[in-house]
Amino acid sequence: MVWHIFKKDWKLLWVFVLAAASLHWIGSFIVFKLGMFGEETSLSMLSFWIPELAIFGSMFLIAAIVHLEAIPGTRQDWLTRPVPRGILLLEKFLFGLIAVEGPIFISSVFQGLANGFSWRSSLLAALSRVVFLLFFLVLPIFAFASITRNMTEAFIMGCGCTFILGAFLILAGSVNTWMHNTLLGVTHTGIGWIGEVFRFFLVAIAATIILGLQYYRRKTTAARLWLIGFGLLLLASTFLPWEPAFAIEERLSPNRGAGKSTQLAFEPSEEKFKSPFGLLASAESDKRRESREAAEVYLPLRIAGTGNDSILLVDRADVHLIDRSRGSYYHGLGDTFSLAREGSNPQEESLYQQIDIPAPIFRKVADESSKIRIDYSLTLFGLNKSYSLAALDGDERMPGWGWCKTALNESGTAVEVRCMEPGKGPICASIFLENSLSGARDPAVSACLSEYRLFGDRPMSDNVARFGVNLPFRDKSGLTKFPVDGSQLPHSRVVIRMYEPEDHFTRSLDIPGIKLKDWQAQ
Amino acid sequence: MIRVSDLWRKFGRFETLRGLSFEVPDGSAFAIIGANGAGKTTTIKVLMNILEPTQGSATVLGVDSRKLSIRELAQIGYVSENQDMPSRLTVEEYTNYLRPFYSTWDRDLERTIAKQLRLPFDRKIGNLSHGMRMKMALMCALPYRPKLLILDEPFSGLDPLVRDEFMEGLLGQAGEMTIFISSHELGEIDGVATHIAFVDEGKLLFQESMSDLTGRFREIRVILEGVATRPSDAPKEWMAMQLTGNVLTFVDTQFDEAGLRELVRSRIGNVRMIDSQPMPLRSIFTTLARAARDGSA
């Protein structure tokens, strides 16, 4: 009977199915044609809009599938027919999977294969994308459409929900700013995926309840109330606090305890931080102008025990300013930074924790003795693999890292390294130019993301991660000299040192009796 | 076949059904009549479990309407004037789609009905006229020989020719099935219904067999010796009383020939002649509707 209803739905919707599928396929083809360096601006624009349009088309299609046998209303002929409700629900779900997710799956697999990746990695990446879309597109729209009579009602209610969501995000963003970025917890952070998994469950439970209520009992009012309730829970999930989420991440550490000897200490013997001049002065003064409502305090730090060939990344620095009479009078987030210890004898560099303190608070307490407590959430990355490819016109496929190409940039000042990998892609590397003959190296560019999700999250275009860096070898002003300059490029290689997270852990730093004014940036 | 007891249905604060109760005997052709907005369609939607009652209950084929399963739905035919069917399917595609849901679907009967109703099988439902759509709805409700056929305002908006074709199709296949029909087109019900219920503003005014109803309603014409005056103690069964010169006319809703003469003489006085005429259903309906509107029913 499922197949029987499916055939009827196909007869009615095949044009829409084909239209939505075509959009996905065209989008995928454009992204493929755009290639690694994406130089064609017209294609670049289309590569953004077509996939967006395709997702919108898929949303429309899901609603259309449901509305063929709309549940609210009193005029539908099917309500008076002996159509088994469970079978109908199953058919709608399967139709959604095949007609909506099928073309997306095909376009994702195409994207992987066309770029020369293996069947396995292409299929896994495509599967990850359709599972992601199942929870964040198919099920929510399916449940939402089941409580609406027709497309017009769905569109109006959808606009209402979008407006509420937009208003909520603006409000939450404003309150978050007022609370010095401490309100939104894990949202938009490396452990935001924990919130997303929580939302997966919420969506799955909400869809089960709403679809059950609608298809088996036709309780539209109750289903709408459930939708509102779950919608509020989904909104509330953006406030998922950092500490318990990071505790989960700690438990998931691949090599738990690897960071146990890591120590952080305040290093007052270091000289006060001075803002850089020269090339960076202009950008720095812009930043200062923007943040003139905040005083920048730089606390010198010493970090020990991270070991060689490792990168320590600060995922979050939770700052509390405390004094005896007022208790904790400021709670905000300090800037995050990373510390790379590369090679067998890494160079020690001065390290500062930047804290932007609102000017009114700073003015009040600048000369007073305060206590600062910083709760660090840290991730220690260990060297996993090392690859290299020619600095000019390099083209290599590197297992675990992806497919990379190199090219000279237009102004002839840097080597562009562009890579792609199906799935979520690597998250941490240090990349530098090395002369293969002399062994000379340019300064490494460390690119580490605080991003620990277990799955890809690119529902729009495809599930191929694209990433890259520019490695400068010439300074047009002549102020900076690079050990590997343009003349050495034919003999040089781009070295990619790939790091993987080993341990997530926390450290607390207590600095008693400190005068903030002493550490304000000069 | 159908039992409705103390049925209430509210839409917001508006009460569409207000304690409706009636019973539909097996094998009858039961007509529920009433003005627009009386609650006929709401009653049918409750019977079909399209709407839930706010209070009270309705049983259909022995099952609470709220618990109608596919087993019962497979034995019920439903035709409504405002039935949404997939407009982009052709008549043939839709009947092909419906067929497997009914284990008792008779293809020969389907062909016979289609031929009788002269339906264009290759035309899309969305391109059918209202009359064609009604005929198609009837064709989709009969081939599985339902035990109960529910018709909601089936004649509304049909021209006489289509109406006749519809009735021929219906009556030709009626057999043993129970028919529950709502209408305000009384002329059409006159020859079909065996039982009748009259609803007004969600309340049942009466329910009885057609023969009893037509038997107890009479239009009475009384010619008096002198000028007629309205009797102050007229029984409440006398409705729509009118005076013209020495002629008094009214509708007797509990007609009893012998009793009437005595009653008229005792209440009115010098009577020259009493004449009683059977009433068509339409007149009975309008009398009751007016009385209900005036609050005297």
Side-chain angles (χ1 to χ4, degrees):
Chain A
M1 205 55 90
V2 170
W3 178 232
H4 179 67
I5 305 172
F6 190 98
K7 281 193 289 185
K8 186 265 297 175
D9 284 358
W10 178 259
K11 207 169 279 177
L12 290 167
L13 290 177
W14 69 270
V15 176
F16 298 106
V17 174
L18 215 61
S22 303
L23 282 174
H24 283 291
W25 294 333
I26 292 168
S28 190
F29 186 70
I30 288 171
V31 171
F32 168 68
K33 284 299 285 179
L34 200 57
M36 204 92 84
F37 293 92
E39 283 158 351
E40 281 189 53
T41 46
S42 55
L43 277 185
S44 181
M45 228 166 67
L46 285 175
S47 75
F48 176 75
W49 286 109
I50 301 280
E52 292 255 352
L53 199 63
I55 290 290
F56 192 75
S58 292
M59 289 163 72
F60 172 83
L61 182 59
I62 298 163
I65 294 164
V66 176
H67 287 148
L68 286 182
E69 270 91 9
I71 295 166
T74 59
R75 293 180 165 202
Q76 305 91 306
D77 182 61
W78 80 271
L79 292 175
T80 67
R81 304 286 175 188
V83 180
R85 303 287 169 91
I87 296 284
L88 186 68
L89 175 60
L90 181 63
E91 184 274 335
K92 297 290 170 201
F93 184 67
L94 285 178
F95 200 95
L97 282 187
I98 293 168
V100 177
E101 295 245 76
I104 296 173
F105 184 78
I106 291 168
S107 71
S108 296
V109 173
F110 161 79
Q111 196 66 246
L113 293 177
N115 285 310
F117 295 105
S118 68
W119 271 98
R120 188 175 176 277
S121 60
S122 304
L123 284 171
L124 279 176
L127 197 67
S128 155
R129 187 181 177 207
V130 293
V131 169
F132 185 87
L133 287 174
L134 175 69
F135 286 99
F136 277 93
L137 182 82
V138 177
L139 281 179
I141 302 288
F142 191 2
F144 180 75
S146 77
I147 61 162
T148 57
R149 280 166 221 269
N150 48 43
M151 206 58 82
T152 313
E153 198 176 275
F155 183 76
I156 292 168
M157 282 177 71
C159 287
C161 290
T162 309
F163 175 77
I164 290 168
L165 179 68
F168 170 82
L169 290 177
I170 291 169
L171 186 69
S174 306
V175 177
N176 187 47
T177 308
W178 180 70
M179 290 178 69
H180 316 300
N181 302 317
T182 54
L183 175 69
L184 289 183
V186 303
T187 306
H188 305 309
T189 71
I191 56 171
W193 69 272
I194 293 171
E196 278 173 20
V197 169
F198 176 63
R199 284 188 278 275
F200 275 169
F201 281 108
L202 275 183
V203 166
I205 294 167
T208 307
I209 292 174
I210 291 167
L211 293 172
L213 274 174
Q214 285 298 77
Y215 277 87
Y216 288 99
R217 299 180 64 191
R218 288 186 72 235
K219 298 275 187 190
T220 302
T221 308
R224 284 178 179 177
L225 290 174
W226 275 101
L227 184 87
I228 292 169
F230 274 104
L232 292 175
L233 266 179
L234 280 174
L235 294 181
S237 72
T238 54
F239 303 125
L240 189 68
W242 176 270
E243 288 78 13
F246 196 77
I248 294 171
E249 191 66 55
E250 275 185 76
R251 286 181 171 274
L252 296 173
S253 297
N255 183 11
R256 230 179 149 190
K260 69 179 175 194
S261 52
T262 303
Q263 302 291 330
L264 283 95
F266 177 53
E267 189 58 68
S269 60
E270 278 284 337
E271 63 174 15
K272 204 170 168 180
F273 178 80
K274 291 186 179 69
S275 294
F277 296 101
L279 284 175
L280 297 173
S282 164
E284 192 63 25
S285 65
D286 283 350
K287 194 179 168 194
R288 282 184 163 225
R289 267 198 299 279
E290 280 167 22
S291 61
R292 60 180 178 271
E293 290 305 312
E296 292 169 1
V297 170
Y298 288 84
L299 303 174
L301 297 180
R302 186 168 48 80
I303 297 177
T306 54
N308 295 339
D309 282 328
S310 67
I311 293 177
L312 182 71
L313 182 66
V314 174
D315 294 305
R316 178 169 157 127
D318 218 11
V319 179
H320 289 269
L321 299 185
I322 304 159
D323 80 357
R324 275 186 199 157
S325 56
R326 282 170 293 189
S328 175
Y329 61 86
Y330 170 77
H331 177 209
L333 298 184
D335 272 19
T336 57
F337 57 90
S338 65
L339 171 72
R341 301 256 191 236
E342 294 210 79
S344 53
N345 191 18
Q347 263 191 331
E348 289 283 340
E349 285 177 29
S350 301
L351 206 64
Y352 292 87
Q353 170 65 63
Q354 184 189 339
I355 306 168
D356 294 341
I357 298 170
I361 295 175
F362 183 80
R363 278 196 292 271
K364 223 183 268 180
V365 298
D367 291 318
E368 292 176 16
S369 176
S370 292
K371 178 184 168 184
I372 298 181
R373 197 181 80 230
I374 308 175
D375 295 317
Y376 282 103
S377 299
L378 305 161
T379 297
L380 184 68
F381 290 81
L383 182 65
N384 184 273
K385 283 169 188 158
S386 203
Y387 296 107
S388 73
L389 70 162
L392 294 176
D393 303 322
D395 186 339
E396 294 282 340
R397 288 179 188 275
M398 295 161 274
W401 176 261
W403 175 32
C404 294
K405 283 183 172 184
T406 56
L408 207 57
N409 71 350
E410 271 183 16
S411 53
T413 55
V415 171
E416 290 181 345
V417 185
R418 296 290 179 268
C419 308
M420 59 169 72
E421 166 80 346
K424 65 189 183 72
I427 57 166
C428 185
S430 78
I431 304 172
F432 54 86
L433 279 171
E434 185 181 63
N435 186 322
S436 323
L437 302 176
S438 67
R441 289 179 177 185
D442 278 354
V445 174
S446 283
C448 287
L449 299 172
S450 173
E451 178 55 87
Y452 312 114
R453 67 176 58 249
L454 308 171
F455 46 85
D457 70 334
R458 282 170 287 270
M460 295 303 176
S461 54
D462 54 25
N463 210 40
V464 175
R466 291 171 180 79
F467 47 97
V469 291
N470 287 353
L471 300 173
F473 57 82
R474 188 161 71 90
D475 174 16
K476 274 184 176 172
S477 67
L479 289 172
T480 312
K481 295 287 178 200
F482 291 88
V484 180
D485 59 19
S487 64
Q488 300 172 51
L489 287 182
H491 316 291
S492 300
R493 295 184 73 79
V494 170
V495 178
I496 299 170
R497 289 162 64 85
M498 180 183 159
Y499 289 82
E500 289 283 341
E502 287 201 333
D503 194 13
H504 304 281
F505 55 98
T506 56
R507 291 288 182 272
S508 277
L509 178 64
D510 282 307
I511 310 170
I514 189 173
K515 277 186 185 171
L516 294 176
K517 199 172 186 180
D518 294 344
W519 302 101
Q520 190 180 12
Q522 287 181 331
Chain B
M1 187 58 69
I2 294 173
R3 177 175 293 167
V4 171
S5 75
D6 192 28
L7 199 63
W8 290 75
R9 173 70 206 194
K10 289 181 189 173
F11 291 97
R13 284 190 298 178
F14 181 70
E15 291 169 337
T16 309
L17 301 181
R18 300 190 292 166
L20 194 66
S21 300
F22 61 85
E23 270 186 51
V24 178
D26 284 6
S28 63
F30 191 100
I32 181 167
I33 58 170
N36 289 332
K40 305 183 296 294
T41 297
T42 304
T43 306
I44 286 178
K45 303 271 187 209
V46 170
L47 293 178
M48 291 302 295
N49 194 25
I50 294 171
L51 288 174
E52 272 200 13
T54 310
Q55 197 182 309
S57 67
T59 56
V60 180
L61 297 166
V63 176
D64 187 321
S65 65
R66 282 168 287 210
K67 291 175 182 164
L68 282 185
S69 68
I70 56 168
R71 203 168 71 89
E72 288 80 35
L73 288 174
Q75 300 175 71
I76 302 172
Y78 174 77
V79 178
S80 167
E81 62 164 336
N82 50 23
Q83 207 165 341
D84 282 346
M85 288 180 276
S87 58
R88 280 181 285 131
L89 287 184
T90 63
V91 175
E92 185 173 23
E93 284 168 342
Y94 194 50
T95 47
N96 288 344
Y97 171 66
L98 289 179
R99 210 174 291 127
F101 292 109
Y102 298 92
S103 58
T104 54
W105 190 287
D106 183 340
R107 282 204 81 162
D108 292 332
L109 181 58
E110 175 197 325
R111 283 191 205 101
T112 310
I113 298 166
K115 201 172 167 188
Q116 194 176 1
L117 295 173
R118 284 182 286 178
L119 277 168
F121 261 70
D122 55 347
R123 200 180 298 174
K124 286 193 172 165
I125 296 171
N127 295 338
L128 295 177
S129 66
H130 175 68
M132 281 287 189
R133 259 208 303 275
M134 290 302 291
K135 288 199 288 182
M136 192 211 145
L138 183 67
M139 193 203 68
C140 292
L142 292 175
Y144 49 95
R145 301 184 196 282
K147 283 185 182 167
L148 172 65
L149 180 65
I150 294 180
L151 306 164
D152 184 13
E153 299 280 4
F155 312 111
S156 172
L158 300 190
D159 64 54
L161 185 66
V162 177
R163 208 176 294 181
D164 285 352
E165 285 174 349
F166 187 94
M167 285 306 289
E168 279 167 28
L170 172 62
L171 296 175
Q173 306 304 329
E176 296 294 306
M177 78 173 74
T178 303
I179 298 173
F180 184 83
I181 185 166
S182 87
S183 183
H184 58 267
E185 301 284 333
L186 296 155
E188 309 303 334
I189 287 180
D190 223 346
V192 182
T194 58
H195 291 72
I196 199 155
F198 181 76
V199 289
D200 184 66
E201 293 184 347
K203 281 196 272 194
L204 182 78
L205 295 190
F206 66 83
Q207 174 201 350
E208 61 191 308
S209 73
M210 201 66 153
S211 54
D212 287 353
L213 180 73
T214 49
R216 74 178 172 89
F217 271 78
R218 285 288 186 279
E219 191 171 39
I220 310 295
R221 191 159 166 267
V222 181
I223 301 172
L224 300 164
E225 295 291 352
V227 176
T229 52
R230 186 180 291 272
S232 57
D233 52 353
K236 63 180 174 36
E237 290 81 15
W238 292 3
M239 289 181 175
M241 197 171 285
Q242 285 184 332
L243 300 164
T244 316
N246 64 339
V247 178
L248 170 69
T249 57
F250 61 90
V251 173
D252 188 357
T253 61
Q254 296 295 338
F255 177 68
D256 167 36
E257 185 133 33
L260 177 72
R261 288 184 184 282
E262 201 171 309
L263 196 60
V264 168
R265 283 181 210 287
S266 69
R267 300 287 164 94
I268 300 171
N270 298 329
V271 175
R272 189 190 298 170
M273 195 184 88
I274 299 174
D275 178 39
S276 64
Q277 292 294 324
M279 292 171 69
L281 190 58
R282 177 179 291 277
S283 304
I284 295 173
F285 172 75
T286 48
T287 305
L288 285 170
R290 281 191 192 125
R293 195 186 55 199
D294 300 341
S296 58

